[in-house]
Amino acid sequence: FRKGKTPRRPPPRKPASNQKDPVGVYCRVRPLGVEDEECCIEVISSTTIQLHAPEGFRTNRNGEYKETQYSFKKVFGVSVSQMELFEYVAKPLVDDLIHGKNGLLFTYGVTGSGKTFTMTGSPGQGGLLPRSLDMIFNSIGPYQAKRYVFKTDDKNGMEVQSEVDALLERQRRENNLPVPKTPSSRQKLDPEIADMIKPEEAYKADGVDEDSSYSIFVSYIEIYNNYIYDLLEETQEDAIKPKPPQSKILREDQNHNMYVAGCMEVEVKSAEEAFQVFWRGQKKRKVANTRLNRESSRSHSVFIIKLAQAPLDADGDNILQDKNQVTVSQLCLVDLAGSERTGRTGAEGTRIREAGNINQSLLNLRTCIEILRENQMCGTNRMVPYRDSKVTHLFKNYFDGEGKVKMVVCVNPKADDYEETLLVMRFAEMTQEVEVARPVDRPICGFTPGRRHRNQAFKEELSRKLEERGGPIDRDVPTVINHLVHSLPPLPSCELTDPHDDITLPRLIEALQNRHRIRQMMTEEFNKAANTMKSMLQDLDSNLIAKDNFIHEQNGKLGEKDKIIQANKEEIERLEKRARMQEHKIDILQKTTKIYEGDKRSLQHELETREQRLQRELSEKRRMEQRMHGVVSDTQHKWEKECERRVNAMQLEMQNKLWVKDEKLKQLKAIVTESKTPGRPDPPPEERLPAKRSASPSPLPVCCFNNAHVEHLPSSFTSTVAWCINEYTRDWTNTTNLNTTTPVRPLHRRSRSAGGEKWVDHKPASSLDLGTVLQPVVPNAIQVSAPNEKALSKCDRYVLTHQEVASDGEIQTKLIKGEVIKTRGGGQAVQFTDIETLRQELTTIPSRKRKSSEGAPANGNQSDGAWTDVETRCSMAMEMRAGSNMAPGFEHHGITKRRKP
């Protein structure tokens, strides 16, 4: 089994005519409410207006006023009457309507610009709508069909029924009405709509087809918040719980024309009755009081005039009973709600929602016009979004070539509406560039024209002749009589000229006898025919009774079917209502879902941002922990070294003090012993061996030069360093820091002044030239009188020449050497590693190599002589090596050489 394909939908009808007409755009200027109010619109000509920017409103960057001109098909100033406007704008559309063509006329503009007045008017100044109705009925009044001859179906079509059926339906509807309808169609009018049009202002169309019958149907809808409501729908009023009006849906008929399904169409027979129906729906229209307009339209209203016409039969007496010969044309009069800004109108709550829907529908109309213009001018084939709004979806057929389109742009010249008026003008200028296909003429019926007139003339002549003869006016009776008279033989001449004439009377008697015989035969035949007719009528009666019974039975079944259909309709209405409710809930859920999705995205974005921030904080915390761990480790290691150094220094200091005290005691003991026993020889050198000193290295002073301090060193830097050297020589463990920088302890080595390293030779300006043979020479050095960052950054070694007065009164020179190292702060630090001492002495050379105490008197200074000989003097040394057990600068006695006996 192979599943069949869904049949392809037939394409929409395309207009057979390739001719196109642009959309007719007209402009009407409303008079100012106050005479001294500022005006921003000036009428230049009958087709051009000019806009002036109001005072205080600059439209270009140069700060100058910019004047713009816009052209229209026709411009109507403040003095133009409603009749002149109708003659130029709506009268051609009414002519097309009577000749079977469609038309669309809508008013456009900002709120309070006079759109409703232009469309409806006021007593004595009827607008486009009442004048159109008046012209239609003035033109087709004598040719209207009886009520209910034309009958609308539920699919935007029109049916034709006979006058008998129309009469029965009229009687049925009148019997169903609770209050009998007055026979006169001219009922008492509402005073608000009375005398809308003066008799002298009436118009009548030319070229009306007299061989057709016409009927007018009107419907009135409004589009409120993008929902369609029927303003003519009769609802049961419930004061306790009123039912809200039900919205209608748009559908497409078999000719691909859009229509409002379930909309009530009222057949009217006069302009007054039609306008009465319009006013009944107008009272149901949504209006509200705003800051700019006392009766502001809150919805788009659409008044549809539908004209049905069908040709008469060949006799010109009855309407042709053929549905295909019925022509339906319609004229849509649209009063669009005005665009507005909520800030100016002071709208709140429901009014804001209404204004938003109005502006959105007008925006969709502009979008459709823009895309139509782009497709026509650029040759593109973009899809026009008619379905985005009910207004554009309902009238899409007109823009596709099903009728003429005209627009009346209403503007208010006051300065407050300048910005909105500017947008309206731009839209109107763009709309004029859109072209709509010209509608084709309806086909001409093949019957002979003038049938109605000839039929009426024949009836009038027949009635006149019957009246002259005094016979019945019914045309069937003289026809039968004439037929019977002509069927009898003619009578001979009855004139008697001679009393003895025997021929005329016998001839007349014979003729009369023949006529009597023929009459009897005809009577017999008539009786036979009557009997036959009676039998036939009886048969027909029996058949009719049987058919009546059958019809009654079928009516019973039909009633059951009607009940089923009614139940199905109610079920369908319930389901449609439920479907609309579900659609509304779906819309609400979709909006809620969009809101939740937006919140979800924002929360996800915020969560991601916080996660990233948390990751950054965690990474920053880990780096800080590592940094602090390194700092703690460095600080711990530093203080451990510092404590160890201080302990070693303290131990060494105590050992040195004990050693010095021990030496002093030994020397004192030797002096005391020598003074008591002058001839006693000196004790052996072994008895004066010094005590062992600690092997731990002495700390080295560090002098740091930082970027922030190197330019502001004090002028007494040399004396400060000298003080450091004195303290270092005296205490061995004192350290001088010129900046709080973590010292670095490089490996100790001997002087590398002879190598390829670069030195900073720091010689103060106060240094004296001693004129000695031995002078300190530092190769590959930069000589400075004060240290600076630039010199230290270029070198890796440092030497300071320091002069001071020794204990014997001579000047001794000390060369303080150190290494230049980089600090963690980006500066340079000098760590002193070595000291060299240059000292000049003047001594007396003894005459012989012996102790000065030999041969001397007993009371001489024997103790001094033991220290002044060359051998004893040569046993003295000066330890200058860094890290030695002996502190630099201290003199000590070595082991005295044992003399030979």
Side-chain angles (χ1 to χ4, degrees):
F1 178 73
R2 184 177 179 181
K3 186 177 181 181
K5 294 184 178 179
T6 303
R8 185 181 296 274
R9 185 179 187 182
R13 293 184 307 169
K14 293 185 179 179
S17 176
N18 293 326
Q19 297 179 350
K20 293 185 178 181
D21 295 324
V23 176
V25 181
Y26 303 86
C27 180
R28 187 179 193 185
V29 182
R30 171 183 175 171
L32 284 173
V34 183
E35 294 183 358
D36 56 351
E37 192 174 4
E38 184 180 2
C39 179
C40 64
I41 295 178
E42 179 183 358
V43 179
I44 303 298
S45 65
S46 61
T47 59
T48 307
I49 65 171
Q50 181 172 334
L51 265 70
H52 305 277
E55 186 177 357
F57 187 86
R58 309 285 180 175
T59 57
N60 56 353
R61 297 181 179 178
N62 297 330
E64 300 176 356
Y65 290 103
K66 185 178 180 182
E67 298 179 351
T68 54
Q69 293 184 358
Y70 297 93
S71 299
F72 298 90
K73 194 171 183 178
K74 183 75 175 176
V75 175
F76 302 97
V78 295
S79 60
V80 175
S81 63
Q82 297 275 59
M83 185 177 68
E84 296 178 10
L85 178 68
F86 171 76
E87 184 177 0
Y88 277 99
V89 179
K91 184 176 179 295
L93 294 178
V94 176
D95 287 332
D96 291 341
L97 174 71
I98 295 174
H99 291 87
K101 298 178 183 178
N102 299 329
L104 171 63
L105 173 62
F106 60 94
T107 56
Y108 184 86
V110 300
T111 180
S113 59
K115 300 182 298 299
T116 304
F117 176 78
T118 300
M119 185 62 67
T120 307
S122 61
Q125 296 180 350
L128 300 178
L129 190 147
R131 292 181 185 274
S132 300
L133 292 173
D134 184 69
M135 179 178 174
I136 291 172
F137 285 101
N138 290 338
S139 303
I140 68 169
Y143 316 119
Q144 290 191 72
K146 295 185 181 297
R147 200 181 294 268
Y148 304 121
V149 171
F150 291 95
K151 184 180 179 182
T152 59
D153 57 9
D154 296 334
K155 298 180 181 179
N156 201 30
M158 195 69 65
E159 297 178 351
V160 183
Q161 56 185 359
S162 64
E163 293 186 2
V164 177
D165 295 336
L167 179 61
L168 293 175
E169 185 172 355
R170 184 164 59 250
Q171 292 177 354
R172 179 174 57 84
R173 293 197 179 188
E174 289 178 357
N175 292 331
N176 291 334
L177 292 176
V179 179
K181 197 171 184 180
T182 57
S184 176
S185 60
R186 295 181 175 269
Q187 301 174 1
K188 187 177 180 180
L189 296 178
D190 195 325
E192 295 185 11
I193 60 175
D195 299 330
M196 295 288 286
I197 302 172
K198 298 177 182 179
E200 62 271 13
E201 296 178 355
Y203 282 91
K204 185 176 180 181
D206 298 329
V208 180
D209 187 8
E210 298 178 355
D211 296 327
S212 298
S213 290
Y214 303 88
S215 186
I216 299 295
F217 296 85
V218 296
S219 58
Y220 196 19
I221 63 172
E222 72 169 349
I223 301 175
Y224 176 70
N225 289 338
N226 208 26
Y227 287 97
I228 300 176
Y229 298 98
D230 187 4
L231 295 177
L232 303 181
E233 186 177 13
E234 296 178 357
T235 58
Q236 296 180 356
E237 297 182 358
D238 190 354
I240 300 176
K241 187 177 180 182
K243 293 178 62 177
Q246 296 294 325
S247 62
K248 306 297 180 181
I249 60 175
L250 289 176
R251 287 183 179 173
E252 192 175 40
D253 61 7
Q254 60 181 0
N255 296 325
H256 303 284
N257 295 323
M258 304 306 300
Y259 70 97
V260 180
C263 179
M264 185 176 182
E265 295 179 344
V266 182
E267 185 178 6
V268 291
K269 293 301 177 183
S270 65
E272 292 80 4
E273 183 184 358
F275 199 70
Q276 188 91 10
V277 172
F278 164 76
W279 196 251
R280 188 179 70 199
Q282 183 73 3
K283 293 180 179 179
K284 297 181 181 179
R285 190 182 175 190
K286 305 293 189 305
V287 294
N289 184 13
T290 63
R291 190 182 300 171
L292 302 180
N293 193 355
R294 187 180 62 183
E295 294 184 358
S296 176
S297 301
R298 313 309 296 170
S299 63
H300 310 298
S301 66
V302 182
F303 188 75
I304 303 174
I305 305 172
K306 186 176 292 186
L307 175 63
Q309 53 183 316
L312 299 176
D313 56 7
D315 296 332
D317 193 15
N318 297 317
I319 298 175
L320 192 65
Q321 299 293 313
D322 187 0
K323 185 178 180 180
N324 296 326
Q325 294 295 330
V326 179
T327 301
V328 179
S329 57
Q330 65 180 13
L331 174 63
C332 295
L333 302 177
V334 185
D335 182 13
L336 294 177
S339 60
E340 60 184 36
R341 294 186 179 180
T342 56
R344 295 186 57 215
T345 59
E348 295 180 355
T350 306
R351 300 293 167 262
I352 294 180
R353 181 188 175 192
E354 293 171 351
N357 289 318
I358 291 171
N359 295 335
Q360 182 63 38
S361 62
L362 296 178
L363 178 61
N364 293 332
L365 177 61
R366 295 176 190 174
T367 304
C368 294
I369 295 295
E370 288 178 0
I371 296 177
L372 279 172
R373 171 177 170 272
E374 180 182 350
N375 291 341
Q376 293 176 3
M377 299 185 66
C378 303
T380 58
N381 193 19
R382 291 181 57 190
M383 186 186 70
V384 184
Y386 290 117
R387 294 178 178 268
D388 290 350
S389 174
K390 292 293 192 301
V391 176
T392 55
H393 194 194
L394 179 60
F395 301 123
K396 66 180 291 293
N397 306 104
Y398 292 94
F399 293 102
D400 291 340
E402 292 294 333
K404 287 186 178 180
V405 181
K406 290 188 178 183
M407 180 175 69
V408 179
V409 176
C410 300
V411 293
N412 195 338
K414 66 178 182 179
D416 295 338
D417 291 345
Y418 175 75
E419 295 185 40
E420 291 87 344
T421 304
L422 197 63
L423 297 176
V424 170
M425 291 299 168
R426 292 173 182 172
F427 171 68
E429 188 176 35
M430 176 185 61
T431 306
Q432 293 182 101
E433 300 177 358
V434 176
E435 294 182 348
V436 179
R438 184 177 300 174
V440 296
D441 296 330
R442 64 187 179 92
I444 300 175
C445 182
F447 296 106
T448 305
R451 300 183 300 278
R452 182 190 293 270
H453 181 69
R454 287 196 301 272
N455 186 26
Q456 289 179 353
F458 174 75
K459 288 182 178 180
E460 290 175 358
E461 183 67 19
L462 183 60
S463 300
R464 185 179 62 81
K465 289 184 178 181
L466 289 175
E467 288 179 0
E468 290 177 356
R469 294 181 181 182
I473 301 177
D474 190 5
R475 65 172 186 169
D476 295 335
V477 176
T479 302
V480 175
I481 293 173
N482 291 332
H483 179 71
L484 292 175
V485 170
H486 288 294
S487 63
L488 293 175
L491 293 176
S493 176
C494 298
E495 185 179 358
L496 293 175
T497 58
D498 188 4
H500 302 283
D501 188 2
D502 297 332
I503 299 174
T504 302
L505 290 177
R507 189 186 301 169
L508 180 60
I509 293 170
E510 184 180 1
L512 290 175
Q513 288 177 353
N514 290 333
R515 290 174 70 94
H516 179 69
R517 186 174 60 252
I518 293 172
R519 183 177 181 183
Q520 287 180 350
M521 292 174 57
M522 291 178 64
T523 303
E524 292 176 358
E525 291 178 359
F526 179 76
N527 292 330
K528 291 180 181 178
N531 293 329
T532 306
M533 182 61 67
K534 286 180 181 179
S535 62
M536 291 176 62
L537 288 176
Q538 290 176 358
D539 294 338
L540 289 175
D541 287 338
S542 61
N543 293 332
L544 184 60
I545 293 172
K547 288 183 178 179
D548 287 339
N549 294 331
F550 179 75
I551 289 172
H552 184 70
E553 183 181 356
Q554 295 297 325
N555 284 334
K557 294 182 179 179
L558 186 61
E560 295 177 358
K561 297 291 184 182
D562 288 338
K563 292 181 180 178
I564 296 174
I565 292 172
Q566 188 67 25
N568 292 334
K569 286 183 178 179
E570 293 177 356
E571 183 68 18
I572 290 172
E573 291 179 357
R574 187 183 64 82
L575 293 176
E576 288 180 351
K577 182 179 179 181
R578 185 176 179 183
R580 288 192 296 269
M581 189 180 299
Q582 295 298 329
E583 289 178 356
H584 181 65
K585 290 183 179 179
I586 288 172
D587 293 339
I588 295 175
L589 290 176
Q590 287 178 351
K591 293 179 182 179
T592 308
T593 305
K594 289 181 181 179
I595 295 173
Y596 286 162
E597 288 179 353
D599 295 341
K600 180 182 177 182
R601 286 193 295 269
S602 61
L603 290 175
Q604 286 180 350
H605 180 69
E606 185 178 358
L607 181 60
E608 292 176 357
T609 305
R610 291 191 177 184
E611 287 181 352
Q612 293 177 0
R613 189 186 305 167
L614 183 60
Q615 293 294 334
R616 289 196 300 269
E617 291 178 355
L618 289 176
S619 59
E620 187 69 23
K621 182 179 180 181
R622 286 194 292 270
R623 288 196 297 270
M624 185 65 70
E625 288 178 353
Q626 294 175 359
R627 190 182 305 166
M628 295 304 297
H629 183 70
V631 171
V632 169
S633 300
D634 293 343
T635 306
Q636 182 178 1
H637 181 72
K638 169 187 172 183
W639 284 109
E640 287 178 356
K641 294 293 185 180
E642 182 70 17
C643 293
E644 183 181 357
R645 183 187 64 78
R646 290 185 181 182
V647 169
N648 293 335
M650 188 64 68
Q651 291 178 356
L652 185 59
E653 182 181 1
M654 298 304 295
Q655 289 178 3
N656 289 336
K657 287 181 179 180
L658 292 175
W659 178 75
V660 170
K661 289 181 180 180
D662 190 23
E663 287 294 324
K664 288 182 180 181
L665 289 174
K666 287 182 180 181
Q667 291 179 6
L668 182 60
K669 182 179 180 180
I671 293 173
V672 171
T673 306
E674 288 179 359
S675 61
K676 291 181 180 181
T677 57
R680 188 177 179 179
D682 294 335
E686 291 83 3
E687 296 178 1
R688 293 189 298 158
L689 289 175
K692 292 184 179 181
R693 300 175 63 185
S694 173
S696 62
S698 61
L700 301 178
V702 178
C703 185
C704 298
F705 301 92
N706 195 292
N707 291 335
H709 302 85
V710 69
E711 297 180 0
H712 304 285
L713 291 174
S715 59
S716 60
F717 175 74
T718 307
S719 59
T720 304
V721 174
W723 177 79
C724 293
I725 299 304
N726 290 331
E727 292 296 321
Y728 176 78
T729 306
R730 185 183 64 187
D731 297 334
W732 298 3
T733 59
N734 194 8
T735 303
T736 303
N737 287 313
L738 298 182
N739 191 9
T740 59
T741 306
T742 304
V744 181
R745 294 179 57 87
L747 296 176
H748 280 273
R749 52 187 173 182
R750 301 295 292 178
S751 173
R752 296 181 295 178
S753 62
E757 298 167 331
K758 201 164 185 179
W759 290 72
V760 176
D761 188 3
H762 181 190
K763 288 184 178 180
S766 59
S767 298
L768 300 177
D769 188 9
L770 301 179
T772 58
V773 177
L774 299 177
Q775 293 288 339
V777 178
V778 182
N780 196 14
I782 298 175
Q783 294 185 358
V784 295
S785 60
N788 55 70
E789 180 187 5
K790 183 177 181 181
L792 291 173
S793 63
K794 295 180 181 179
C795 303
D796 50 358
R797 299 300 298 274
Y798 173 85
V799 59
L800 171 65
T801 302
H802 174 64
Q803 293 181 347
E804 63 180 5
V805 180
S807 60
D808 56 355
E810 296 294 336
I811 296 175
Q812 64 180 3
T813 303
K814 293 184 178 181
L815 300 179
I816 307 168
K817 296 183 290 184
E819 293 184 359
V820 180
I821 60 176
K822 293 184 179 296
T823 63
R824 291 186 178 92
Q828 289 80 24
V830 177
Q831 182 173 13
F832 297 110
T833 59
D834 200 1
I835 300 175
E836 293 183 4
T837 304
L838 303 179
R839 185 174 179 181
Q840 183 179 2
E841 294 182 355
L842 296 176
T843 58
T844 302
I845 301 175
S847 60
R848 56 188 180 87
K849 191 178 180 180
R850 62 178 181 85
K851 290 184 179 180
S852 58
S853 59
E854 293 181 359
N859 56 355
N861 293 331
Q862 191 176 358
S863 61
D864 295 336
W867 294 89
T868 58
D869 61 297
V870 176
E871 185 177 3
T872 304
R873 194 181 306 118
C874 289
S875 65
M876 297 172 58
M878 185 175 296
E879 186 74 18
M880 303 302 294
R881 181 163 47 87
S884 61
N885 293 332
M886 303 293 291
F890 273 85
E891 298 178 355
H892 64 277
H893 290 278
I895 302 175
T896 306
K897 293 184 179 180
R898 189 183 295 271
R899 293 176 60 86
K900 294 182 180 180

